[in-house]
Every structure is written in C-alpha cells, then in structure tokens.
Amino acid sequence: MSIKLSAKNLHINFGTKKVLNNVNVAFEEHQITALIGPSGCGKSTLLRSFNRMHDLSSDAKIEGSLFLDSLDLYARTVPVTEIRKRIGMVFQKANPFPKSIYDNIAYGLKINNLPHGKKEIEKALREAFLWDEVKNDLKMPATRLSGGQQQRLCIARAVALRPEVILMDEPCSALDPISTLKIEELIVHLKEKYTIVIVTHNMQQAQRIADRTVFMYLGEVKEEGITTQLFNHPAEEMTANYIRGQFG
C-alpha cells in the first residue's frame, strides 16, 4: 500500500494551549483509518489540519509538515482551494446549504469550474447511495431531508469534486442506528475510490469499518496498527484501558 496522507513532527498550538505534540502518522491509500481517543485528545485538530481548516484561526500556530502524496500542504505556493478540492471534508453535523438537493451539489462543482449538469449530479448522488431516494425530488429543499439523508447529501457534495481523500469528523454521531449503518456501508463502498480518515468515539464503528486505527491521547499518537490487532492485542496498556472503557 502506498502512503496517501501524512504528518511529520506536527505540533499545533492555539494561543498558549498545545493541542498536538510531535505527531507522526501516515494514512494508506484506499484504506479507512479511524482516529480514536478521549474527547479533547486532538483527533479533530489533526483531521482539520490536513485541509487547512486552521487557517481561519488567528491564534493557531502550526509546526511540522503535512503531505498529500509528496505535496507539502502548507507550502506557500499551494492554493487552499486546490487542497480542499483534493481533500474533501464531512462534518459531525450535516450542513446542507439552504438550497435544493440539486443545487447543493451543483454549487461546489460550479465554483470549482467543473461540469455541473444532471449527469454529474446523478453520479454523485448514486455514489452516496441517495439517488433512488431523491431522484424525483431534486428541486426539494435539502433541509427537508432526514438527518441521515442530509449527511449522505453532504458526502455526495464531497465526492462530486472527485477528491483523493475524504476526511470525516464523527459523521454518524447525530444519527440513529439505522442511518448510522447506512453511512457505514457507504464509507466501506467509497474506499474503492478514495482514501478515508474518520474520527469516531464509537469503538464498535471503528471495528466494523476501519482497516487501520490510530489511538490518540493528550495530543499524541500512542498506538496505531491494523484494527483487529489494535483492538484484540493492544501493545500499550493505555490503549487497552481506553478500549475497555476505563476512561474516555
């Protein structure tokens, strides 16, 4: 497997607060990697650093290197728009635009100067397992979809741009169990075309869908490996304690 995304000697501070401390991690192509660990351990901060979300925080200080293949994601010559086209993001809470289902997907394609006809919209909705449910209601406001459908629409919006990587920050935390299983099935389906990194607090979810798992604690990577191995035979006592639910 080749490495698609990586962080080397990454330190991130917000003001005087250190959130990530010397993180070295690599994500393999066409794999699902789960980031697990207690709240506040830096999982979302790490995830968001890859598509330059911290550029919006004036007190963020980032040291170290982040790469997509061999591209330095923080090189001054690399436009943020290019990075966000190649690295898609799906957030914890579904955030459809207050537009129609059709326009939700067409909008991102338009502003990136990509074809945005019905063929492209249908392809994205099919990839997100949503086409059959909405094909007769494409002009309906996206806000009228159920929570699970809205999250799949946000995934459709991300895949429409044909990124290489999709980052997912707890995409199922606001969903019921049935919607969660649909999203999980979709994520497994998407790894054929994309490299996926997912933050999750759900240990069962990580075990169901992730090829690899990274355990973080207090801004550091404590252990990483093949998911079944990390859950069944963790090398670190702290990992074992977290998995057993002794803290979190």
Side-chain angles (χ1 to χ4, degrees), residues 22-36:
N22 199 32
V23 168
N24 289 278
V25 69
F27 303 107
E28 292 180 2
E29 194 167 26
H30 298 298
Q31 298 269 288
I32 299 166
T33 305
L35 301 180
I36 64 168

Side-chain angles (χ1 to χ4, degrees), residues 36-240:
I36 64 168
S39 294
C41 72
K43 302 182 299 293
S44 293
T45 299
L46 174 60
L47 195 76
R48 289 162 179 246
S49 65
F50 283 108
N51 77 341
R52 303 272 300 263
M53 296 291 288
H54 303 308
D55 286 16
L56 306 170
S57 303
S58 57
D59 63 343
K61 185 185 177 195
I62 299 172
E63 295 175 350
S65 306
L66 294 117
F67 297 96
L68 173 65
D69 297 324
S70 59
L71 176 73
D72 180 350
L73 294 171
Y74 282 76
R76 290 191 176 166
T77 51
V78 180
V80 176
T81 48
E82 179 65 23
I83 291 167
R84 292 186 185 151
K85 199 157 85 176
R86 294 177 66 183
I87 303 177
M89 183 104 190
V90 176
F91 296 94
Q92 185 172 358
K93 190 173 184 302
N95 57 341
F97 303 137
K99 298 171 178 285
S100 70
I101 294 166
Y102 186 99
D103 287 339
N104 257 270
I105 297 170
Y107 178 75
L109 292 168
K110 263 185 222 171
I111 62 170
N112 283 285
N113 297 314
L114 294 168
H116 51 273
K118 189 169 180 187
K119 186 176 79 172
E120 288 76 26
I121 309 301
E122 179 178 340
K123 186 177 180 186
L125 289 168
R126 280 191 186 280
E127 259 193 89
F129 291 179
L130 193 55
W131 174 253
D132 289 337
E133 293 165 49
V134 302
K135 62 186 176 188
N136 298 320
D137 296 304
L138 294 177
K139 293 299 172 193
M140 183 175 88
T143 48
R144 281 176 40 196
L145 294 169
S146 70
Q149 287 174 322
Q150 287 188 21
Q151 193 62 296
R152 278 183 283 146
L153 178 65
C154 293
I155 293 170
R157 209 167 59 191
V159 300
L161 298 179
R162 305 287 137 216
E164 295 160 53
V165 176
I166 303 175
L167 309 173
M168 297 186 169
D169 195 355
E170 292 195 68
C172 303
S173 64
L175 303 179
D176 62 79
I178 291 170
S179 298
T180 293
L181 287 173
K182 272 192 178 171
I183 298 277
E184 288 179 1
E185 185 190 349
L186 168 57
I187 293 169
V188 171
H189 167 74
L190 289 173
K191 80 169 179 179
E192 292 172 18
K193 293 184 180 174
Y194 309 99
T195 300
I196 296 171
V197 185
I198 178 170
V199 167
T200 181
H201 276 111
N202 185 327
M203 297 297 99
Q204 289 75 32
Q205 182 171 77
Q207 290 176 80
R208 281 193 298 265
I209 68 170
D211 301 292
R212 297 182 65 79
T213 296
V214 175
F215 170 61
M216 296 182 67
Y217 184 69
L218 295 179
E220 296 180 355
V221 171
K222 291 297 182 186
E223 186 170 350
E224 60 179 305
I226 295 164
T227 298
T228 48
Q229 203 169 328
L230 185 135
F231 276 92
N232 296 326
H233 307 287
E236 302 290 329
E237 193 177 348
M238 186 182 285
T239 313

